[in-house]
Amino acid sequence: SFQGIYKYLETCFSDFKQRGFVVGYDTRGQVTSNCSSKKLAKLTAAVLLAKDVPVYFFSTYVPTPFVPYAVQQLKAVAGVMITASHNRKEDNGYKVYWENGAQITSPHDKEIIKCIEECVEPWNGSWNENLVDTSPLRQDPLKKICDCYMEDLKKICYHRELNVQTNLKFVHTSFHGVGHDYVQLAFKAFGFQPPIPVPEQKDPDPDFSTVKCPNPEEGESVLELSLRLAEKENAKVVVATDPDADRLAVAEQQENGCWKVFTGNELAALFGWWMFSCWKENCSEDADVKNVYMLATTVSSKILRAIALKEGFHFEETLPGFKWIGSRVKDLLDNGKEVLFAFEESIGFMCGTSVLDKDGVSAAVVIAEMATYLEGKNLTLAQKLIEIYETYGYHISKTSYFLCYDPPTIKRIFEKLRNFDAPQSYPKFCGIYNILHVRDITTGYDSSQPNKKSVLPVSKSSQMITFTFQNGCVATLRTSGTEPKIKYYAEMCALP
């Protein structure tokens, strides 16, 4: 498939061979097939090196956000991260980043697939994974990128003096993935003592031997080891990065001794409040709040919209998937806007704009600084969350999914919704509750728009319908792009 990517990039960039390409990888591996992320990364690099393209090939595993960061820092045309993220241990995959440092969106993805289909025969040299070790065109960007990243991180550090003095202790689990070293460095950059690592989970292990499923979104069940360690060490906050360290879960011990594991939407309320108040405290006299933006995907909580309405900055929605956020943020920055924060409800957060993708490393240390600051005000994260709801309106969401392994059944379910009482009519009620508007991203229909057309781009390849109720509830049903799931997202948005 890399031959296809090479072919496409060659048509897009006349200076491809001057600017080069970034390759990163995580620590996945399968003993049975003798396949690993590193091996796939070496093959990727070989395809390009054999064609005289300079390759920035990381000498060791890195967090996913390091690849988009490196693409921008090194002015490369694109980059790829070989990772299966938080998916099951059997999976592997990769993410492609464009020159703007955001994950590719259409039409690039379709064009690349077309080129891949035209390039199924391996070229000479494509299987030579040793090229990485011998080619003079290969450079290792690790030290430069890591140093620059940690330096850039300090731009979103606002209370270093508190961090240096705090007695709060933090536990970090990296879920057998790549996060440990990098989260340690990030805490150091913010002036903290290093967080206490979960010893059984700090080193890479492609078998994920201590968790059934390496997805920190699953909550308390998969955080078991880190919560027990935190109790032993008297640490009040646990941060967990997923295996490729681009997402973050957070748990906090409450006064009754129980742990609260925050949802992605709850964390976003905290991050949104925090990033805005830090901006307000530190902005120049003539800074205009109307120039400030926050973003979220459309299936995520509307809490940022509520904060934006009250505080005067802009809030925007994108289609689900961080690639849409990354591209939109880049447009806003190019137009002189300031973006403080963006998120998706599946614990993906972007604090600041050094990386145009979700980043669990920066989010972990920002949460630590927030907890430290709040402790000085005698507040916990959970108490602050309630204060935010009291100020901006309670936003209570429930998200989950149904597994369905039969695509025709999924199609029937969604077609039934589109032809509910009659052909081409959607449900008007759900139980006793009145449905005010329907937006169907698959077909591009939106009953709330004067021309009945959705403002968000149409996405024919996936199913997605949003119902807005008269009582302020918003509910979306959609299919997952990567797993056999029908996901649902429901939120009740109350007024302040």
Side-chain angles (χ1 to χ4, degrees):
S1 71
F2 265 89
Q3 297 181 165
I5 290 178
Y6 165 78
K7 226 178 116 169
Y8 182 59
L9 289 169
E10 201 184 26
T11 58
C12 293
F13 299 102
S14 57
D15 52 359
F16 188 14
K17 292 187 174 171
Q18 284 79 57
R19 291 167 59 189
F21 188 92
V22 177
V23 178
Y25 51 91
D26 68 5
T27 52
R28 294 271 178 148
Q30 271 110 32
V31 178
T32 44
S33 61
N34 185 24
C35 184
S36 68
S37 291
K38 185 166 191 174
K39 185 174 179 169
L40 292 171
K42 284 182 156 184
L43 289 169
T44 301
V47 170
L48 299 170
L49 292 168
K51 290 281 182 193
D52 296 328
V53 174
V55 174
Y56 297 101
F57 183 93
F58 283 99
S59 54
T60 184
Y61 54 82
V62 288
T64 289
F66 273 37
V67 171
Y69 182 72
V71 169
Q72 282 198 301
Q73 287 291 317
L74 303 165
K75 301 193 171 36
V77 299
V80 66
M81 173 71 188
I82 312 266
T83 174
S85 184
H86 53 277
N87 283 23
R88 318 169 304 156
K89 65 179 180 212
E90 292 74 35
D91 293 2
N92 49 39
Y94 59 85
K95 291 180 175 171
V96 183
Y97 294 89
W98 209 239
E99 62 173 340
N100 61 1
Q103 282 184 58
I104 54 168
T105 52
S106 52
H108 298 312
D109 47 6
K110 312 256 188 316
E111 292 296 325
I112 286 175
I113 287 167
K114 229 163 63 193
C115 288
I116 289 173
E117 285 161 357
E118 292 162 13
C119 289
V120 287
E121 280 302 306
W123 301 331
N124 287 345
S126 285
W127 289 108
N128 180 3
E129 56 178 282
N130 301 330
L131 260 183
V132 165
D133 305 316
T134 57
S135 170
L137 286 170
R138 177 260 165 133
Q139 291 179 52
D140 174 14
L142 182 69
K143 187 176 177 345
K144 176 183 172 165
I145 292 305
C146 198
D147 293 350
C148 288
Y149 174 93
M150 295 303 162
E151 207 39 54
D152 262 345
L153 202 49
K154 295 176 185 170
K155 292 179 186 163
I156 49 173
C157 176
Y158 295 101
H159 298 279
R160 197 187 168 89
E161 65 299 336
L162 296 180
N163 304 344
V164 172
Q165 296 162 9
T166 185
N167 294 321
L168 270 189
K169 286 161 127 186
F170 299 94
V171 161
H172 169 235
T173 171
S174 40
F175 264 99
H176 301 294
V178 304
H180 172 76
D181 298 345
Y182 302 99
V183 170
Q184 295 271 319
L185 287 170
F187 270 68
K188 195 172 145 194
F190 265 49
F192 283 110
Q193 290 297 308
I196 302 160
V198 176
E200 304 92 321
Q201 297 177 337
K202 92 174 175 50
D203 297 321
D205 168 12
D207 289 328
F208 301 109
S209 47
T210 66
V211 284
K212 258 214 318 275
C213 133
N215 185 354
E217 242 185 306
E218 299 286 332
E220 196 154 345
S221 57
V222 294
L223 292 172
E224 182 71 30
L225 283 173
S226 40
L227 302 182
R228 299 299 80 82
L229 177 66
E231 286 163 0
K232 206 174 89 205
E233 295 281 356
N234 197 21
K236 293 283 178 257
V237 177
V238 168
V239 288
T241 45
D242 73 335
D244 68 326
D246 63 351
R247 305 189 319 151
L248 179 78
V250 179
E252 180 186 53
Q253 195 173 27
Q254 305 304 295
E255 300 213 309
N256 61 6
C258 294
W259 287 89
K260 175 175 173 62
V261 181
F262 293 89
T263 66
N265 285 332
E266 290 172 331
L267 288 174
L270 287 162
F271 277 124
W273 157 74
W274 176 254
M275 295 307 284
F276 183 73
S277 42
C278 292
W279 176 84
K280 217 161 68 174
E281 236 160 77
N282 294 281
C283 65
S284 57
E285 304 245 310
D286 56 348
D288 184 2
V289 74
K290 291 201 171 26
N291 208 33
V292 169
Y293 281 73
M294 290 196 198
L295 290 86
T297 62
T298 185
V299 294
S300 303
S301 170
K302 313 283 179 237
I303 185 68
L304 297 184
R305 182 181 68 189
I307 300 175
L309 281 170
K310 214 163 162 155
E311 302 294 350
F313 61 88
H314 287 276
F315 167 68
E316 276 193 15
E317 277 189 348
T318 70
L319 286 178
F322 232 92
K323 59 183 184 182
W324 298 105
I325 287 182
S327 310
R328 181 62 188 141
V329 169
K330 183 73 173 82
D331 291 345
L332 288 167
L333 295 176
D334 289 346
N335 285 302
K337 310 293 184 203
E338 198 171 350
V339 181
L340 303 184
F341 173 65
F343 86 104
E344 61 182 1
E345 57 74 40
S346 51
I347 60 175
F349 310 104
M350 184 190 102
C351 301
T353 52
S354 291
V355 174
L356 298 184
D357 199 9
K358 52 185 185 284
D359 181 355
V361 179
S362 56
V365 57
V366 170
I367 273 286
E369 180 168 84
M370 191 191 310
T372 301
Y373 170 87
L374 288 170
E375 195 215 17
K377 303 262 182 273
N378 234 338
L379 285 169
T380 62
L381 293 168
Q383 287 164 335
K384 183 67 212 182
L385 180 63
I386 289 177
E387 272 189 16
I388 293 168
Y389 287 152
E390 297 285 348
T391 310
Y392 299 107
Y394 275 83
H395 282 61
I396 306 301
S397 55
K398 179 164 174 54
T399 60
S400 190
Y401 58 85
F402 300 101
L403 286 166
C404 179
Y405 293 91
D406 183 48
T409 301
I410 292 180
K411 205 167 160 55
R412 276 206 311 277
I413 291 170
F414 280 90
E415 284 310 316
K416 172 80 177 131
L417 289 170
R418 292 186 180 104
N419 305 281
F420 199 69
D421 298 319
Q424 295 183 324
S425 76
Y426 295 87
K428 312 239 180 326
F429 291 91
C430 181
I432 58 168
Y433 298 101
N434 193 5
I435 293 170
L436 195 60
H437 291 301
V438 177
R439 183 187 62 200
D440 188 337
I441 291 290
T442 313
T443 62
Y445 170 78
D446 185 345
S447 68
S448 72
Q449 295 296 322
N451 64 357
K452 302 284 183 264
K453 281 190 166 48
S454 162
V455 182
L456 291 174
V458 180
S459 179
K460 286 195 183 68
S461 56
S462 56
Q463 302 280 357
M464 178 162 142
I465 304 178
T466 300
F467 300 96
T468 303
F469 289 80
Q470 201 149 18
N471 63 6
C473 175
V474 183
T476 296
L477 288 167
R478 69 181 275 257
T479 48
S480 163
T482 51
E483 301 162 291
K485 288 176 177 176
I486 299 174
K487 298 184 165 186
Y488 62 87
Y489 310 78
E491 181 169 45
M492 194 66 213
C493 310
L495 293 167

